[in-house]
Amino acid sequence: MSDPPGRTPCIAASADYRRDLFVSADLTGGPPRTPTQSSFLERCPLRRADSETIIANARTFARRQWVSTPLAPSLLRSSFDPDIKERKEHLEEELAFSIIGLPKGSSFAFSLYQHLASDEEIDKFLKKTNVYNSRKKIWRLPRSSESLQEDKMYKPLVKLLNAILEWFWKKEIALGLRKVLDTHSTVLPHKEAVETIHTSRPDCSVKAEGPSFQLPHKQTPGDIGYSNMASFFEVKVENKRVGFMKELLQIAAYVRQIFIQQPNRIFVRALLVTEQRFTLFHFDRSGIQHTEEFDLHSEKTRHVFVRLVLGLCSLHESDLGIDTSIQWDIEGGRKVRGTLKTRSKNKEEVIYDLAAIEPTWQSFDIRGSCTTYWSVVDPQSGEKLLVKDSWRSEERISERTYLEKAKDLPGVVQMISYEENRAETKNFRGIDNSSEVPVGFYSRISIRIVMKSEGKLIKDFTSPVELVCALRDAIAGHQLLYEKEIVHRDISMHNIMLGESGAEPGNRGMIAGLDMAIFTYSDRFIPTTNENGRTGDRTYWSIAALMRGDTDRITYDGPHDHLDDLEAFVYVLIHCTHGYSPQGEQLTLPRQLQKWALDTAWAAGPAKAHFLGDDLSRQVEKLWPKSCLNLLRSLMTFFTGVSKYKRNLARLPNGIREENVEKLMMDIDKHYDAVLRFFDQAIEDLDKEANGVPHEQTPTSWDPGSFTWVPSSPNPFFKPPSGPPRSHGISRLIDLQDDRVPRKRALEEYPDDQPEAKRGHDSQPKTPRRPRPKARTSAQVQGAVPSPLSKVFSGEQD
């Protein structure tokens, strides 16, 4: 991310100096590019699988992928909850496995920002400045003592930091492009996916102006916020240190807001400073790297400290960790228009205009794929397109590989061009091919994909018909992907796009976001997992996905399969119908649904199971057409059966369980057929409702009550509707007997021949006990078999 060798900040005296500096210093073409990875498809040519191959691959997938990827904790629990104080322990859960401490003697800090100041220039500064005592060879800061208070550090440290900037960048600093402010008592507002009251107060903040910075979204003293902060300095005193982890998490909370409020930021560096020491923290999409504690006054490290201050306050945005391929015009301190530079299909440079100042959608995590969607306009054709920036794990297959295989598939977003290996987190940390990779570090690679889409997410629907049709076509696209032997595994609100206005059936909705996908064939192409686990929005994870690995409950420990994705589509529909009006106006999402993201995974799983088994709220029944309500009830009942069935699989002994999972995979077409028929019927009913024909009078309407979980039924998920049979029926899935008897509703009155003593002391009816199950053979259920945590994960790498 550093500038070309020999480049120094230009100095000009014109009135347009700021504008000239922005243009000359920042349009560097984005992050550095590493060598392009050979195409997966060059090693594995495209092929159209027949139904037998699909089933065979699915069965192989079920055997090989028996244990799914572990799920990483998510920041959503705290950051999306405006009613609770942000808890730093949730940051610890997300980042714990990604903290890399560099050993003593590491050259990382010494190698940074050499181009910003030479040793001779720094020595000259130290002799002339009044913030350094050249006789005693120490910085003019309060002396360390047991009585030293932290507030005594702020003023002298701010003076010291600004003195460094003023010496090396006189005119630039005079124009206010960079300035260090004391913000230990300044409340800086946070920004989240929902309205929040969270704030925080970094001790010393670097206020910045430039083509990537704008005034904060809420007024603050000094007009400083995370949106115009180049970096910050956290201050401590030696006698009141609170422990490394607490200090790190305090810094991480500030860093996270910089990532959120500066959406083209790709890494953040900050310094923790005491009266005696300093430590450098580096944050990127792989997690955290920090140096040892350096002696602030040592002759060996004083040059390092000066260069780090210059680097963290650099006039060159690429030094700060900003992707300068995305830039804005700033007027009155606000972003007013912007551009995005990338490579076309022919690898020629192309510059798109941003259709919106802010991203269409962005991640709120520090570590992970951290996807950001940008809506852009082709300056030649005027066509709206969607650009996706993300960070894939080094071991994972690139998303563009899956999109190449999905070419011309209806219901799947189409790729126009891509840029791979735009930057790599290991390069930000000074790791090259000759370096020893620290234990626990997993490099991530930046990828940019331009797609044919207007950039409208499913949440941007304007009518029930548009919503239902878009979801229906996206599900059909998901099925076509599976026929191409691809499992998506990340269905969510931000990965389903609305089709273009007037799109034909099949493209009214499209799925995107294939960075978590895997192929269902060939062990060779499925990387191993690591302890970091999967990140993402658990709002849309299936019950089985949430409960995997829970040793305290009987849970399904199988792979993430097509049924998990189909269930995720249901939660998208539930979110849309409960969080929006039928015309697409956003409403307050019920607390029960908010908790799906806020709760732990193992608490959210049972909560979802309870929700699917319950009826819809009065508000939803009042707002939404009956056809949509019937669709919801049908899907909820269907997937109640799915989750129960998977829990039953967890009760099976090893060997028999795997066999039944393989059988489950053989009925994939029937699962899609059932779900798509629900949507087709809803679309038909919506059309009739629009023409004034109540759907209750339609003899082919679905009866939600007929879709019940019947343990002894040949088909535990699905019971065909009443009415004329359709051309394709649903056959049995697996002949697996549930050892539980459905609970019967108690009678309102006891039979006349019921003895009074049997009626209980309160004379209330009692539910009859189920008989003790008979002994079963080894081929039948033998009770709960918890999934051992010691199994070796053999799924994918996030």
Side-chain angles (χ1 to χ4, degrees):
M1 289 299 301
S2 61
D3 297 298
R7 194 183 92 186
T8 56
C10 63
I11 298 197
S14 68
D16 295 329
Y17 175 70
R18 297 188 189 192
R19 183 197 63 197
D20 296 339
L21 178 66
F22 296 163
V23 173
S24 63
D26 295 310
L27 295 182
T28 58
R33 291 171 174 79
T34 52
T36 303
Q37 183 187 49
S38 61
S39 170
F40 173 87
L41 295 178
E42 293 171 5
R43 309 194 303 271
C44 181
L46 287 173
R47 55 197 176 96
R48 172 70 180 184
D50 55 29
S51 58
E52 291 183 2
T53 302
I54 293 172
I55 292 175
N57 286 335
R59 296 180 69 177
T60 303
F61 172 73
R63 287 195 300 270
R64 187 181 66 254
Q65 288 276 96
W66 176 243
V67 177
S68 190
T69 312
L71 303 179
S74 172
L75 286 177
L76 297 175
R77 268 185 283 160
S78 60
S79 63
F80 276 34
D81 191 348
D83 297 329
I84 63 172
K85 186 177 180 180
E86 191 165 29
R87 300 174 187 171
K88 294 186 178 68
E89 57 264 30
H90 296 148
L91 274 167
E92 182 177 4
E93 290 178 12
E94 192 223 7
L95 299 171
F97 290 107
S98 65
I99 301 173
I100 305 295
L102 294 175
K104 287 187 176 181
S106 168
S107 63
F108 175 63
F110 293 82
S111 68
L112 295 175
Y113 309 120
Q114 292 283 338
H115 62 286
L116 294 181
S118 66
D119 288 344
E120 292 76 14
E121 291 173 316
I122 295 174
D123 286 336
K124 185 177 179 180
F125 162 72
L126 294 175
K127 289 179 182 179
K128 299 289 185 179
T129 183
N130 62 358
V131 296
Y132 184 76
N133 188 327
S134 57
R135 184 176 61 83
K136 294 183 178 181
K137 295 185 177 181
I138 59 173
W139 296 101
R140 296 186 185 276
L141 291 172
R143 291 187 178 184
S144 184
S145 68
E146 289 297 322
S147 61
L148 180 62
Q149 297 296 314
E150 188 176 303
D151 59 3
K152 300 298 183 181
M153 282 284 296
Y154 301 135
K155 185 175 180 179
L157 181 60
V158 168
K159 180 181 179 181
L160 187 161
L161 297 173
N162 279 322
I164 294 175
L165 302 186
E166 290 167 5
W167 176 273
F168 288 91
W169 299 328
K170 297 180 178 62
K171 289 192 176 181
E172 293 88 339
I173 300 307
L175 291 170
L177 299 183
R178 300 290 184 270
K179 186 175 183 180
V180 182
L181 302 177
D182 177 359
T183 53
H184 82 278
S185 61
T186 303
V187 173
L188 304 186
H190 285 196
K191 189 177 180 181
E192 303 291 355
V194 297
E195 284 296 321
T196 180
I197 58 174
H198 295 159
T199 60
S200 53
R201 298 174 298 175
D203 290 329
C204 302
S205 302
V206 184
K207 184 179 179 181
E209 289 189 19
S212 293
F213 301 108
Q214 68 174 346
L215 295 174
H217 62 288
K218 294 180 181 179
Q219 184 66 41
T220 64
D223 289 333
I224 176 67
Y226 291 106
S227 59
N228 61 349
M229 184 185 297
S231 187
F232 61 90
F233 299 84
E234 188 61 17
V235 180
K236 301 295 177 186
V237 289
E238 293 293 340
N239 66 76
K240 295 187 182 302
R241 300 295 291 270
V242 294
F244 172 78
M245 185 55 70
K246 287 185 178 180
E247 292 172 349
L248 184 149
L249 294 177
Q250 186 174 2
I251 292 171
Y254 308 148
V255 167
R256 177 172 171 269
Q257 282 302 309
I258 292 178
F259 274 124
I260 291 172
Q261 299 191 40
Q262 298 176 31
N264 60 334
R265 196 77 180 235
I266 57 180
F267 69 76
V268 178
R269 290 173 181 153
L271 281 180
L272 186 149
V273 183
T274 74
E275 74 275 20
Q276 291 280 13
R277 312 171 195 276
F278 68 94
T279 306
L280 174 66
F281 291 86
H282 169 95
F283 291 77
D284 57 35
R285 300 314 189 176
S286 289
I288 306 170
Q289 176 174 284
H290 66 90
T291 66
E292 61 182 293
E293 287 189 326
F294 296 111
D295 187 339
L296 180 63
H297 305 284
S298 168
E299 184 176 354
K300 181 181 178 181
T301 56
R302 62 191 180 193
H303 287 189
V304 175
F305 178 72
V306 171
R307 287 197 184 97
L308 290 178
V309 171
L310 291 174
L312 269 58
C313 307
S314 179
L315 297 170
H316 307 312
E317 292 191 350
S318 53
D319 286 338
L320 301 175
I322 289 175
D323 183 353
T324 55
S325 68
I326 305 172
Q327 299 281 259
W328 290 267
D329 291 337
I330 309 296
E331 294 181 5
R334 309 296 303 178
K335 297 174 180 177
V336 293
R337 67 190 70 86
T339 58
L340 182 149
K341 182 171 18 176
T342 185
R343 299 282 176 180
S344 68
K345 188 176 182 181
N346 299 324
K347 305 305 177 186
E348 297 176 353
E349 185 177 280
V350 57
I351 299 177
Y352 294 108
D353 295 322
L354 292 179
I357 297 300
E358 298 296 329
T360 301
W361 189 89
Q362 69 178 113
S363 168
F364 287 81
D365 291 324
I366 294 176
R367 181 187 67 83
S369 59
C370 297
T371 298
T372 303
Y373 284 118
W374 302 93
S375 180
V376 301
V377 178
D378 188 324
Q380 301 297 325
S381 65
E383 181 183 13
K384 267 193 177 183
L385 303 172
L386 186 68
V387 178
K388 177 182 178 180
D389 286 338
S390 63
W391 294 82
R392 69 172 176 86
S393 182
E394 189 176 33
E395 296 85 359
R396 282 197 60 77
I397 297 168
S398 172
E399 180 180 4
R400 66 101 173 171
T401 298
Y402 300 111
L403 288 172
E404 284 175 341
K405 197 166 184 181
K407 185 178 179 180
D408 298 328
L409 288 186
V412 182
V413 71
Q414 296 298 296
M415 180 174 65
I416 294 175
S417 64
Y418 64 88
E419 267 189 283
E420 279 199 308
N421 304 327
R422 302 183 63 248
E424 194 164 355
T425 55
K426 71 178 184 181
N427 295 333
F428 304 152
R429 301 182 179 211
I431 301 172
D432 54 32
N433 294 333
S434 62
S435 303
E436 184 176 343
V437 178
V439 176
F441 172 70
Y442 299 90
S443 189
R444 287 185 174 272
I445 299 170
S446 173
I447 181 171
R448 173 169 288 169
I449 297 176
V450 182
M451 296 171 285
K452 190 175 179 61
S453 170
E454 292 185 348
K456 291 183 178 180
L457 304 181
I458 189 69
K459 67 179 179 63
D460 298 319
F461 70 91
T462 57
S463 69
V465 173
E466 186 178 21
L467 171 65
V468 175
C469 288
L471 282 173
R472 190 264 177 220
D473 287 356
I475 293 171
H478 189 280
Q479 182 178 19
L480 293 174
L481 269 183
Y482 200 94
E483 291 177 0
K484 289 282 190 177
E485 300 162 311
I486 298 171
V487 186
H488 188 285
R489 303 184 334 123
D490 192 24
I491 298 300
S492 61
M493 186 85 85
H494 60 272
N495 279 336
I496 305 175
M497 306 292 170
L498 294 177
E500 296 180 3
S501 302
E504 295 294 323
N507 281 313
R508 296 166 297 187
M510 301 172 291
I511 53 173
L514 291 166
D515 43 324
M516 284 301 301
I518 57 173
F519 284 107
T520 62
Y521 60 89
S522 179
D523 288 336
R524 173 185 171 192
F525 302 118
I526 296 184
T528 57
T529 65
N530 64 68
E531 64 270 26
N532 284 320
R534 275 180 59 190
T535 58
D537 189 346
R538 67 181 54 145
T539 302
Y540 312 102
W541 287 347
S542 69
I543 296 170
L546 289 165
M547 310 266 308
R548 285 185 177 101
D550 185 356
T551 57
D552 295 330
R553 303 178 179 89
I554 303 301
T555 60
Y556 177 61
D557 202 26
H560 186 115
D561 55 31
H562 66 289
L563 285 169
D564 294 297
D565 278 358
L566 288 175
E567 188 174 336
F569 279 107
V570 179
Y571 298 132
V572 172
L573 178 61
I574 289 172
H575 192 159
C576 289
T577 52
H578 288 68
Y580 297 85
S581 74
Q583 291 74 39
E585 299 165 341
Q586 189 168 6
L587 308 173
T588 300
L589 192 67
R591 181 67 178 176
Q592 185 180 6
L593 271 64
Q594 290 184 32
K595 287 175 68 64
W596 292 355
L598 305 175
D599 280 343
T600 63
W602 295 345
K608 283 186 176 180
H610 181 269
F611 183 90
L612 292 182
D614 204 353
D615 203 0
L616 302 172
S617 68
R618 291 184 180 179
Q619 177 179 329
V620 173
E621 287 186 331
K622 180 180 179 180
L623 291 176
W624 284 83
K626 187 143 189 166
S627 50
C628 292
L629 303 179
N630 283 351
L631 171 64
L632 273 169
R633 291 189 178 106
S634 299
L635 290 168
M636 290 164 61
T637 308
F638 181 90
F639 283 98
T640 295
V642 171
S643 64
K644 287 182 179 179
Y645 187 80
K646 286 191 172 183
R647 286 202 298 272
N648 287 337
L649 286 176
R651 299 171 181 270
L652 292 171
N654 293 333
I656 298 175
R657 180 171 53 173
E658 285 84 343
E659 291 176 8
N660 281 283
V661 172
E662 289 182 38
K663 292 177 182 178
L664 181 65
M665 295 296 105
M666 295 176 66
D667 282 322
I668 288 170
D669 286 342
K670 299 182 178 67
H671 304 157
Y672 282 105
D673 179 71
V675 173
L676 288 173
R677 288 176 71 192
F678 290 140
F679 278 90
D680 288 339
Q681 186 64 53
I683 294 169
E684 182 180 334
D685 289 341
L686 281 168
D687 183 59
K688 291 183 177 180
E689 286 177 354
N691 293 315
V693 180
H695 72 81
E696 291 93 341
Q697 300 175 8
T698 306
T700 57
S701 293
W702 298 101
D703 175 11
S706 68
F707 300 96
T708 55
W709 169 260
V710 183
S712 59
S713 169
N715 187 338
F717 300 166
F718 178 78
K719 188 175 180 181
S722 57
R726 295 183 180 265
S727 58
H728 44 284
I730 306 301
S731 63
R732 73 178 193 72
L733 294 176
I734 302 173
D735 188 14
L736 175 64
Q737 175 73 27
D738 188 346
D739 66 327
R740 295 174 294 176
V741 173
R743 180 171 294 180
K744 300 177 182 178
R745 181 172 297 177
L747 298 175
E748 295 182 2
E749 296 182 1
Y750 281 90
D752 293 336
D753 58 351
Q754 174 71 34
E756 280 190 29
K758 301 272 186 180
R759 299 186 184 185
H761 298 292
D762 54 0
S763 300
Q764 294 297 318
K766 298 292 190 294
T767 303
R769 288 187 179 179
R770 64 177 176 87
R772 184 183 298 274
K774 297 180 180 179
R776 285 163 282 175
T777 66
S778 60
Q780 294 174 306
V781 179
Q782 296 295 327
V785 183
S787 302
L789 294 177
S790 59
K791 287 188 176 182
V792 179
F793 291 122
S794 58
E796 93 303 337
Q797 163 71 39
D798 177 20

